[in-house]
């Protein structure tokens, strides 16, 4: 394999940045972020090392669920701009070397979508089969809804036709019947439309629900022979229609343990989702942070399947636009995280997660934050940032539900954090106040402070991009006498790195051994001016400060890279 191959599978060492256009930058003073505003910040994103934007829903929507309740899959919400603004955004991003992926919602629509309006008009309507209906009274499904604080179950009675329709999310988001070939055809057409406008792929929402045979089986005459065939067909369509800046991707939201995620990659064939968010490792990382013990992370990395296709990739993240879900952990483990990072009821969401950003969880401690983001970039896979993480934004707990972490981007210390010139009462969502408000946390100040989290993450992105072994290589956990230290090695071709992270506040000196490397080999720290050599036994002892981290590249004579 050559270094040039990394351009073909570009996503394997990308730096992904998720943003909501509604709260990123308002260009016309109406209090709502828009595509033109985002376009003004493309150079900022390029500057900090972003290579792929994940653009959250910008489609027409009643916005009962942050835009994931779509009423027109082909449209641009006029509050954000129009198709011309979208094309201008794509063109400028591509010119700066940044790819753009958009959300693809294949599980549900808004109840205001024309399909659902026709579906509920009568039982004999041709669109009836676009959704999942039942005539018998459903059992108690209160433990299956994704919004336990708002919904009693996943079936809602429709008085017009006297039947029940399925919705795993809000009752205003009826589930599509993806077993129906006509529905699959419409979703493929949607993909084709946005690909034609230049997007580089899709973040696919709520994938397991869309192919859930438990809810689709027996509901219609189009039942899948094998549910995963649908994902294979979408991947094949994507490959046929991709053009422009390289292969397009499907980054899937699959909140499942690793062995179940393997099937959504397509196993060794790799013919389904291109990438998946690693929810299991994410939850174990927070358990490790709470315990100040790296064993949960080691457990997660040991459980990752190693026999997936070369084209498949895990996406690592610390926080995202939803709650920090902890549903793959035991009740006791969740309680540990609640006690450490969200002890108050207002911090928690649905009994299964936290509606907080990371900085307030650790009281803004810069040592812990820098270590955490170093770990994010050092884990095998592709790092995903959520807007505002790069400057250390906090949440607004006065905003209900998951919206607490979806507040306006804080650009400077002026009114509304520089997000909008509108009156504060007219802004789409309330700006964070207090110690994490824009008077204290903003991008303008961070750019001028060389010790800021922003500059730290910019350096991490640069070093990550210079080290394709982190996204492409195999990994091995290294033994150390300290449970609080995560030590792992990544290897790709003849390139090797050792990554060390101390999850505890006290300093340690970490010994490790690389028996398959010759004595005297240099280990160069990519995040500092320090270096050392392997001793006669292939070992080294590396000092780590409290919450310290080291990125050590083994320097070989034939490695052309600068260090």
């Amino acid at each position: 394999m050559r270094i040039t191959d990394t351009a073909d599978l570009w996503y394997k060492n990308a730096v992904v940045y998720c943003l909501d256009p509604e709260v990123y930058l308002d260009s016309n003073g109406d209090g709502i972020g828009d595509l033109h505003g985002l376009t003004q910040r493309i150079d900022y994103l390029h500057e900090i090392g972003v290579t792929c934007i994940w653009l959250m829903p910008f489609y027409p929507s009643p916005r009962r669920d942050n835009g994931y309740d779509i009423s027109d899959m082909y449209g641009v919400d006029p509050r954000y701009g129009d198709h011309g603004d979208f094309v201008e955004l794509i063109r400028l991003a591509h010119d700066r070397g940044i790819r753009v992926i958009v959300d693809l919602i294949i599980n549900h629509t808004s109840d205001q979508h024309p399909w659902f309006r026709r579906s509920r008009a009568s039982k004999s309507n041709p669109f009836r089969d676009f959704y999942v209906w039942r005539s018998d009274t459903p059992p108690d499904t209160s433990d299956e809804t994704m919004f336990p604080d708002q919904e009693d179950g996943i079936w809602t009675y429709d008085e017009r036709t006297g039947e029940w329709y399925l919705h795993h999310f809000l009752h205003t988001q009826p589930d599509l019947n993806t077993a129906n070939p006509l529905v699959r055809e419409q979703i493929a057409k949607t993909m084709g439309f946005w690909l034609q406008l230049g997007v580089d792929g899709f973040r696919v929402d709520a994938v397991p629900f869309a192919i859930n045979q438990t809810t689709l089986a027996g509901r219609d005459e189009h039942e899948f022979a094998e549910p995963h065939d649908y994902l294979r067909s979408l991947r094949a369509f994507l490959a046929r229609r991709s053009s422009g800046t390289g292969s397009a991707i499907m980054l899937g939201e699959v909140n499942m343990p690793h062995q179940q995620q393997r099937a959504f990659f397509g196993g060794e064939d790799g013919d389904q989702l291109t990438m998946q968010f690693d929810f299991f490792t994410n939850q174990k990382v927070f358990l490790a942070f709470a315990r100040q013990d790296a064993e949960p992370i080691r457990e997660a990395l040991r459980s990752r399947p190693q026999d997936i296709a070369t084209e498949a990739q895990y996406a690592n993240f610390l926080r995202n636009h939803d709650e920090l879900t902890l549903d793959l952990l035991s009740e006791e483990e969740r309680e540990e995280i609640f006690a450490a990072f969200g002890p108050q009821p207002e911090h928690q969401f649905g009994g299964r997660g936290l509606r907080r950003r990371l900085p307030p969880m650790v009281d803004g401690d810069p040592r812990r934050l820098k270590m955490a983001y170093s770990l994010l970039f050092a884990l095998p896979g592709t790092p995903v940032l959520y807007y505002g993480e790069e400057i250390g934004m906090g949440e607004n707990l006065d905003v209900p539900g998951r919206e607490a972490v979806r507040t306006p981007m804080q650009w400077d210390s002026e009114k509304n954090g520089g997000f909008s010139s509108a009156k504060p009462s007219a802004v789409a969502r309330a700006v964070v106040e207090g110690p994490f408000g824009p008077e204290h946390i903003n991008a303008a100040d961070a750019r001028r402070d060389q010790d800021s989290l922003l500059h730290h993450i910019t350096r991490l992105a640069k070093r990550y991009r210079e080290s394709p072994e982190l996204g492409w290589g195999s990994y091995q956990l290294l033994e150390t006498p300290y449970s609080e230290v995560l030590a792992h090695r990544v290897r790709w071709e003849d390139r090797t790195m050792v990554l060390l992270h101390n999850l505890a506040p006290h300093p340690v000196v970490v010994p490790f051994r690389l028996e398959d490397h010759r004595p005297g080999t240099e280990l160069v720290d990519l995040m500092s001016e320090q270096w050392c050599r392997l001793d006669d036994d292939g070992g080294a002892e590396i000092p780590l400060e409290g919450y310290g981290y080291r990125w050590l590249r083994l320097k070989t004579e034939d490695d052309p890279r600068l260090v």
Side-chain angles (χ1 to χ4, degrees):
M1 182 172 287
R2 303 166 299 171
I3 186 64
T4 52
D5 292 332
T6 61
D8 296 328
L9 305 184
W10 56 268
Y11 52 89
K12 294 200 70 169
N13 65 321
V15 177
V16 182
Y17 185 94
C18 170
L19 64 88
D20 182 349
E22 183 173 71
V23 292
Y24 205 61
L25 184 64
D26 169 19
S27 70
N28 59 10
D30 65 355
I32 299 172
D34 46 56
L35 296 178
H36 184 65
L38 167 56
T39 304
Q40 309 310 306
R41 291 292 186 256
I42 291 296
D43 284 324
Y44 164 81
L45 296 175
H46 174 69
E47 178 184 273
I48 65 176
V50 171
T51 65
C52 177
I53 295 170
W54 158 21
L55 188 59
M56 289 174 60
F58 53 88
Y59 315 105
S61 164
R63 298 195 68 81
R64 307 276 178 77
D65 183 21
N66 203 47
Y68 284 92
D69 49 328
I70 298 173
S71 56
D72 178 4
M73 296 179 180
Y74 297 100
V76 174
D77 192 313
R79 292 176 294 181
Y80 310 143
D82 54 31
H83 286 95
D85 295 317
F86 182 82
V87 171
E88 289 293 299
L89 167 65
I90 297 294
R91 180 174 174 80
L92 184 65
H94 285 174
D95 178 72
R96 301 301 194 267
I98 299 175
R99 292 174 168 89
V100 181
I101 63 174
V102 298
D103 266 293
L104 177 69
I105 291 82
I106 64 175
N107 179 68
H108 53 262
T109 68
S110 165
D111 62 353
Q112 301 303 307
H113 195 288
W115 296 347
F116 190 67
R117 289 183 171 182
R118 297 177 188 177
S119 178
R120 71 195 312 184
S122 69
K123 295 180 183 180
S124 58
N125 189 284
F127 285 87
R128 187 72 169 180
D129 198 27
F130 271 48
Y131 298 87
V132 183
W133 295 86
R134 66 186 298 165
S135 57
D136 58 318
T137 302
D140 178 22
T141 55
S142 57
D143 61 341
E144 298 181 48
T145 178
M146 295 300 295
F147 289 91
D149 58 332
Q150 299 182 56
E151 301 290 345
D152 296 328
I154 62 174
W155 296 94
T156 287
Y157 185 72
D158 181 55
E159 293 186 359
R160 185 174 304 177
T161 58
E163 290 191 340
W164 305 75
Y165 65 86
L166 178 69
H167 57 90
H168 280 94
F169 294 81
L170 297 174
H171 71 276
T172 53
Q173 295 169 283
D175 281 16
L176 285 165
N177 180 13
T178 52
N180 183 342
L182 295 177
V183 172
R184 301 200 298 271
E185 179 183 338
Q186 290 294 329
I187 290 173
K189 285 175 63 178
T190 300
M191 294 174 65
F193 177 82
W194 293 108
L195 287 168
Q196 197 67 28
L197 289 186
V199 305
D200 300 285
F202 303 92
R203 180 265 187 185
V204 190
D205 185 62
V207 177
F209 296 106
I211 62 170
N212 185 355
Q213 283 295 83
T214 302
T215 50
L216 295 182
R219 306 298 175 198
D220 57 82
E221 60 187 23
H222 312 297
E223 191 173 332
F224 289 122
E226 206 285 303
H228 285 266
D229 284 343
Y230 180 36
L231 292 182
R232 293 187 181 95
S233 70
L234 291 180
R235 179 70 176 274
F237 180 85
L238 187 72
R240 293 195 302 271
R241 293 293 184 93
S242 296
S243 62
T245 55
S247 57
I249 66 167
M250 294 196 304
L251 168 55
E253 181 190 29
V254 181
N255 181 17
M256 289 182 168
H258 287 143
Q259 285 306 314
Q260 291 176 257
Q261 283 190 316
R262 183 182 182 277
F264 287 83
F265 279 128
E268 296 179 6
D269 295 330
D271 57 357
Q272 295 182 45
L273 294 173
T274 323
M275 302 178 70
Q276 291 184 61
F277 292 103
D278 192 345
F279 282 92
F280 185 71
T281 298
N282 172 259
Q283 296 175 41
K284 289 294 186 177
V285 163
F286 275 88
L287 182 61
F289 287 169
R291 292 177 175 175
Q292 299 186 347
D293 185 334
E295 181 55 32
I297 305 176
R298 288 189 284 268
E299 176 190 341
L301 292 177
R302 282 193 291 264
S303 78
R304 269 193 186 180
Q306 300 295 306
D307 58 347
I308 57 177
T310 301
E311 293 79 7
Q313 178 74 319
Y314 275 108
N316 301 309
F317 64 102
L318 290 178
R319 288 295 292 112
N320 61 20
H321 62 294
D322 288 332
E323 76 278 9
L324 171 62
T325 184
L326 304 170
D327 56 354
L328 298 180
L329 303 179
S330 69
E331 184 176 351
E332 291 75 16
E333 291 170 333
R334 281 196 295 273
E335 289 301 325
E336 286 185 67
I337 295 175
F338 287 160
F341 301 131
Q344 303 302 321
E346 64 177 359
H347 296 150
Q348 301 169 21
F349 180 85
R352 65 169 188 263
L354 293 170
R355 57 189 203 104
R356 307 196 74 190
R357 284 180 177 256
L358 177 59
M361 293 189 204
V362 297
D363 298 322
D365 186 337
R367 299 177 307 158
R368 298 185 75 176
L369 288 172
K370 289 182 177 180
M371 180 276 294
Y373 285 101
S374 172
L375 177 63
L376 171 66
F377 279 83
L379 286 172
T382 297
V384 181
L385 293 167
Y386 182 48
Y387 80 91
E389 279 192 289
E390 73 273 19
I391 61 173
M393 276 177 58
E395 71 277 350
N396 185 349
L397 294 173
D398 291 333
V399 178
R402 301 190 293 187
E403 303 288 308
V405 300
R406 301 168 179 172
T407 56
M409 178 65 181
Q410 297 168 194
W411 294 109
D412 58 39
S413 59
E414 301 301 319
K415 182 179 71 173
N416 300 321
F419 160 70
S420 173
S421 61
K423 296 179 180 179
S425 59
V427 171
R429 294 178 206 148
V431 177
V432 172
E433 297 180 351
F436 292 94
E439 315 87 66
H440 309 287
I441 304 293
N442 65 74
D445 290 347
R447 292 182 75 195
R448 291 188 289 268
D449 179 2
Q450 292 299 314
D451 292 325
S452 69
L453 183 61
L454 177 66
H455 279 280
H456 175 66
I457 287 179
T458 301
R459 286 192 292 270
L460 289 170
K462 180 179 176 63
R463 293 309 190 194
Y464 174 82
R465 292 284 290 169
E466 293 172 349
S467 307
E469 52 265 49
L470 292 171
W472 284 75
S474 60
Y475 61 88
Q476 173 192 1
L477 295 171
L478 300 177
E479 292 186 7
T480 79
Y482 301 106
S483 182
E484 63 268 33
V485 173
L486 178 69
H488 71 285
R489 172 170 67 172
V490 291
R491 307 178 71 175
W492 180 56
E493 301 294 325
D494 58 347
R495 304 176 182 191
T496 299
M497 287 182 67
V498 173
L499 295 309
L500 305 175
H501 289 83
N502 181 7
L503 275 61
H506 51 266
V508 292
V509 177
V510 182
F512 62 86
R513 181 169 297 175
L514 304 175
E515 297 178 348
D516 50 351
H517 287 275
R518 62 178 179 270
T521 298
E522 287 187 26
L523 285 81
V524 180
D525 190 341
L526 299 185
M527 300 301 291
S528 74
E529 301 297 323
Q530 301 179 35
W531 65 279
C532 66
R533 295 183 186 274
L534 294 178
D535 61 26
D536 292 342
D537 295 321
E541 293 189 352
I542 306 296
L544 278 181
E545 298 178 353
Y547 302 120
Y549 48 88
R550 303 288 289 273
W551 288 35
L552 304 173
R553 177 182 291 163
L554 273 69
K555 186 178 180 181
T556 58
E557 294 180 359
D558 56 349
D559 190 340
R561 293 176 294 178
L562 298 173
V563 295

